[in-house]
PDB file of all heavy atoms in Angstrom:
ATOM      1  N   VAL Y 145     -71.296  46.241  -2.368  1.00 84.00           N
ATOM      2  CA  VAL Y 145     -72.751  46.360  -2.173  1.00 84.00           C
ATOM      3  C   VAL Y 145     -73.315  47.491  -3.020  1.00 84.00           C
ATOM      4  O   VAL Y 145     -74.382  47.356  -3.641  1.00 84.00           O
ATOM      5  CB  VAL Y 145     -73.059  46.579  -0.681  1.00 84.00           C
ATOM      6  CG1 VAL Y 145     -74.526  46.936  -0.477  1.00 84.00           C
ATOM      7  CG2 VAL Y 145     -72.713  45.334   0.122  1.00 84.00           C
ATOM      8  N   ALA Y 146     -72.595  48.607  -3.076  1.00 81.00           N
ATOM      9  CA  ALA Y 146     -73.068  49.731  -3.891  1.00 81.00           C
ATOM     10  C   ALA Y 146     -73.041  49.395  -5.377  1.00 81.00           C
ATOM     11  O   ALA Y 146     -73.939  49.787  -6.134  1.00 81.00           O
ATOM     12  CB  ALA Y 146     -72.210  50.963  -3.615  1.00 81.00           C
ATOM     13  N   ILE Y 147     -72.025  48.658  -5.815  1.00 82.00           N
ATOM     14  CA  ILE Y 147     -71.904  48.307  -7.228  1.00 82.00           C
ATOM     15  C   ILE Y 147     -73.015  47.351  -7.653  1.00 82.00           C
ATOM     16  O   ILE Y 147     -73.593  47.484  -8.741  1.00 82.00           O
ATOM     17  CB  ILE Y 147     -70.518  47.694  -7.506  1.00 82.00           C
ATOM     18  CG1 ILE Y 147     -69.448  48.787  -7.466  1.00 82.00           C
ATOM     19  CG2 ILE Y 147     -70.480  46.975  -8.849  1.00 82.00           C
ATOM     20  CD1 ILE Y 147     -68.043  48.257  -7.615  1.00 82.00           C
ATOM     21  N   ASN Y 148     -73.336  46.389  -6.822  1.00 80.00           N
ATOM     22  CA  ASN Y 148     -74.320  45.368  -7.174  1.00 80.00           C
ATOM     23  C   ASN Y 148     -75.755  45.747  -6.814  1.00 80.00           C
ATOM     24  O   ASN Y 148     -76.658  44.920  -6.965  1.00 80.00           O
ATOM     25  CB  ASN Y 148     -73.964  44.049  -6.478  1.00 80.00           C
ATOM     26  CG  ASN Y 148     -72.714  43.419  -7.062  1.00 80.00           C
ATOM     27  OD1 ASN Y 148     -72.708  42.914  -8.173  1.00 80.00           O
ATOM     28  ND2 ASN Y 148     -71.627  43.459  -6.298  1.00 80.00           N
ATOM     29  N   SER Y 149     -75.950  46.958  -6.343  1.00 75.00           N
ATOM     30  CA  SER Y 149     -77.309  47.385  -6.031  1.00 75.00           C
ATOM     31  C   SER Y 149     -78.076  47.662  -7.318  1.00 75.00           C
ATOM     32  O   SER Y 149     -77.519  48.162  -8.303  1.00 75.00           O
ATOM     33  CB  SER Y 149     -77.293  48.639  -5.158  1.00 75.00           C
ATOM     34  OG  SER Y 149     -76.644  49.695  -5.833  1.00 75.00           O
ATOM     35  N   LYS Y 150     -79.349  47.346  -7.333  1.00 70.00           N
ATOM     36  CA  LYS Y 150     -80.176  47.492  -8.533  1.00 70.00           C
ATOM     37  C   LYS Y 150     -80.818  48.867  -8.646  1.00 70.00           C
ATOM     38  O   LYS Y 150     -81.456  49.172  -9.639  1.00 70.00           O
ATOM     39  CB  LYS Y 150     -81.271  46.425  -8.535  1.00 70.00           C
ATOM     40  CG  LYS Y 150     -80.722  45.001  -8.606  1.00 70.00           C
ATOM     41  CD  LYS Y 150     -81.838  43.987  -8.648  1.00 70.00           C
ATOM     42  CE  LYS Y 150     -81.274  42.564  -8.725  1.00 70.00           C
ATOM     43  NZ  LYS Y 150     -82.346  41.543  -8.765  1.00 70.00           N
ATOM     44  N   ASN Y 151     -80.645  49.700  -7.640  1.00 64.00           N
ATOM     45  CA  ASN Y 151     -81.192  51.058  -7.724  1.00 64.00           C
ATOM     46  C   ASN Y 151     -80.038  52.045  -7.902  1.00 64.00           C
ATOM     47  O   ASN Y 151     -78.953  51.664  -8.343  1.00 64.00           O
ATOM     48  CB  ASN Y 151     -82.006  51.386  -6.454  1.00 64.00           C
ATOM     49  CG  ASN Y 151     -81.247  51.011  -5.200  1.00 64.00           C
ATOM     50  OD1 ASN Y 151     -80.027  50.996  -5.184  1.00 64.00           O
ATOM     51  ND2 ASN Y 151     -81.983  50.688  -4.147  1.00 64.00           N
ATOM     52  N   SER Y 152     -80.268  53.281  -7.572  1.00 66.00           N
ATOM     53  CA  SER Y 152     -79.268  54.329  -7.767  1.00 66.00           C
ATOM     54  C   SER Y 152     -78.352  54.493  -6.554  1.00 66.00           C
ATOM     55  O   SER Y 152     -77.850  55.586  -6.304  1.00 66.00           O
ATOM     56  CB  SER Y 152     -79.962  55.661  -8.061  1.00 66.00           C
ATOM     57  OG  SER Y 152     -80.815  56.019  -6.979  1.00 66.00           O
ATOM     58  N   THR Y 153     -78.150  53.423  -5.810  1.00 68.00           N
ATOM     59  CA  THR Y 153     -77.322  53.518  -4.606  1.00 68.00           C
ATOM     60  C   THR Y 153     -75.896  53.909  -4.939  1.00 68.00           C
ATOM     61  O   THR Y 153     -75.273  54.731  -4.242  1.00 68.00           O
ATOM     62  CB  THR Y 153     -77.336  52.178  -3.849  1.00 68.00           C
ATOM     63  OG1 THR Y 153     -78.688  51.817  -3.561  1.00 68.00           O
ATOM     64  CG2 THR Y 153     -76.560  52.290  -2.549  1.00 68.00           C
TER      65      THR Y 153
END
Side-chain angles (χ1 to χ4, degrees):
V145 171
I147 287 175
N148 290 289
S149 60
K150 297 182 180 180
N151 47 28
S152 59
T153 304

